Amino acid sequence: MKKRIVSVLIMLSLFLSLVPPTLAADLSSDLSSDKHNSNSIGRVKVSTISLPSYVILQDATYTYSGKVFISYKTADDLNTTDYFNFAVLNDDGTDFKLIFSGVIPLNARSGGIRYMPFQDNKRVLLGDYVFECMPNLNNCKSNKLVPITYPTSLSTDPHISSVWSEIIIAPDNKHMAWTILLSNYTAGQAIGVLSRKTDSYVLENVQLLSKPEPFVNDPNKPGFIIPPTSTRGGEVKQFIQGGNALSVVGAKDYVTADSVIQDLTSDKVTHITRTPGYDETTIFSPDERLGMVMSTRFSKQTDPAIFGILPRPAYAGSGINGILYFYSVAGVRTFRSGDIGPALIDIDRSMNEPGYQGINLSTDENWVYHSPMSWHPDGKSAMWIEGRRGLDDDLHKRLQKVNLLDYKPHKTVPIKPTTDNIPYATKDLTKLTSSSNGNVQGKIAGKKSGYIDYVTTTTPNLSGKSEAQYVNFSDDGVNFYNGYEKYNYNYLSESVYEANLQLTGKQPGEMNLRATFSSILGDTPARLLFETAADGKPKSYGYAAFKGTTLHIEDLLE
């Protein structure tokens, strides 16, 4: 759980069983009146991939050859620490081949184990190791686990709690990017070249893709501060654009979590998702015209859109995303009725069309999305894991597949050498932990008028607070903010978010609400509490409104 707390807080920091018989469902997207008909997805079919009865599924991903690579347990090794079985099979469940069984010792300061196939179809990146198969994964006659050596400055830094939590490998088979978790509940990203040595892989030419950019004093206005210009640091999910951009959990313009593209050749950061709720991972199809998104958008009763529907500066309200993860994702996996996707989207529509939702690929309320997601190399099908709601124990999972019945993929985006000339990167790895500061106080000037009186403090025991007082604040001279939003969090007790904020101008809106969440610990993490508070009002009440839509916190009552 600690790893999840840390990785969620940084996403917008600054301010990181036996499978049942095959189930199939036909879902269609009504795009007949859509002006983007060339991007229409069409009909899709969702089914469960059959596995042998003794397989207790852990993880699965498509390989570059179109095989399914799975990790699983059996009754015989269920209680053996760090024991793994790997197999490959076709995505219709046939031709199941065991290619590895044994203990894989895991490092204490790492994210456990992940499965990222290399484009050469001979290797799988695990995080602490590279799993090599000869002559290839499809016909593995011999295998080897080769350890990865991370830079000493990272592996020995006392301010780093996990040297890696997420890992991805570029299609050039060389460049690896990963997310690093810090002990102050922030995180960063790094990239390096994975070089094969005699008995190990060594990460060379390592660069930080993110470094803490603190609020700084405004030299021209005493008492004023300048917010950070970068929000890089969220979990890395996929190399895209041939290997020269990343799909990342992050932020750009909105308060609630979104999925973004982080370019490696420029400073450009581009929104992929634009819903007011909680959007996290986007995995792109081979032609990069479609994506699969972990999202709360189809779950009206647990979608935290009320916190994001009113647009406002991301640095002022983004601290809420930590608790929103436990409410809308962890809670849904463990006990709360709801849906976290995946959503199948047209990337262009998702980036440019207000209100676009895509297709919900969830077919059974008793099963909930788990990572990872992956695409078949032909771009006509994709795959993900689901777990039984209330049994978030890695022992009750199934493997889901969606077939795109009408979609005609374009050519796969060509592979290019991943650049080492990243304009915002630095080879000084000490910058990751040398300049972060979670305590900030000062006024932030609007670009056109007014200011935000901003303060945030953090403590080492998973608690802190933030407050933003808006005084005629405007960045465009057309829309003006007045009021406040406050957030006092304590992940071991109750957390309270309050807002009384008015937006006037061309697109008016407002927030007048209080949301009180229970502790993230226990059997019912981050419940919204509605009983009477000390002031005689409910612990949670109120609404948010924008562009003709009004959302009420009472609609989230369980």
Side-chain angles (χ1 to χ4, degrees), residues 366-428:
N366 295 312
W367 291 88
V368 185
Y369 164 78
H370 287 242
S371 62
M373 297 178 281
S374 58
W375 283 85
H376 190 285
D378 67 7
K380 291 280 290 181
S381 60
M383 190 172 63
W384 67 97
I385 301 284
E386 289 183 347
R388 291 281 295 188
R389 188 190 314 280
L391 298 173
D392 190 18
D393 55 8
D394 278 346
L395 300 179
H396 301 83
K397 292 183 175 181
R398 68 179 185 177
L399 186 54
Q400 296 293 93
K401 179 180 69 168
V402 59
N403 285 98
L404 281 59
L405 304 179
D406 303 319
Y407 181 71
K408 298 187 185 321
H410 286 202
K411 291 183 178 180
T412 298
V413 174
I415 297 171
K416 301 177 182 178
T418 298
T419 184
D420 290 314
N421 298 316
I422 304 169
Y424 50 85
T426 176
K427 293 185 179 181
D428 183 357

Side-chain angles (χ1 to χ4, degrees), residues 479-535:
N479 300 288
F480 299 85
Y481 293 84
N482 284 280
Y484 67 83
E485 54 183 317
K486 304 176 183 179
Y487 181 44
N488 285 271
Y489 68 89
N490 185 337
Y491 283 179
L492 305 180
S493 181
E494 292 184 2
S495 298
V496 181
Y497 173 86
E498 299 177 89
N500 190 340
L501 183 61
Q502 295 76 44
L503 171 62
T504 57
K506 188 176 181 179
Q507 295 181 331
E510 61 180 322
M511 296 180 74
N512 190 343
L513 65 88
R514 177 167 70 190
T516 303
F517 295 89
S518 67
S519 168
I520 64 168
L521 302 179
D523 296 330
T524 57
R527 288 185 60 247
L528 270 170
L529 305 177
F530 288 89
E531 57 262 31
T532 303
D535 62 1

Side-chain angles (χ1 to χ4, degrees), residues 34 36 38-41 238 240-241 247 259-261 270-274 280-293 297 343-354 356-359 375 407 413:
D34 175 28
H36 298 278
S38 62
N39 290 332
S40 296
I41 297 173
Q238 183 186 18
I240 57 175
Q241 296 179 12
S247 176
S259 185
V260 301
I261 298 171
T270 306
H271 254 119
I272 302 169
T273 59
R274 292 182 175 273
E280 193 173 296
T281 303
T282 298
I283 301 298
F284 285 70
S285 61
D287 64 6
E288 299 187 9
R289 297 171 68 237
L290 304 182
M292 295 227 300
V293 182
R297 67 185 67 187
L344 177 63
I345 62 169
D346 177 301
I347 295 294
D348 180 71
R349 294 185 66 188
S350 180
M351 295 195 309
N352 298 297
E353 184 179 319
Y356 174 70
Q357 296 288 294
I359 302 172
W375 283 85
Y407 181 71
V413 174

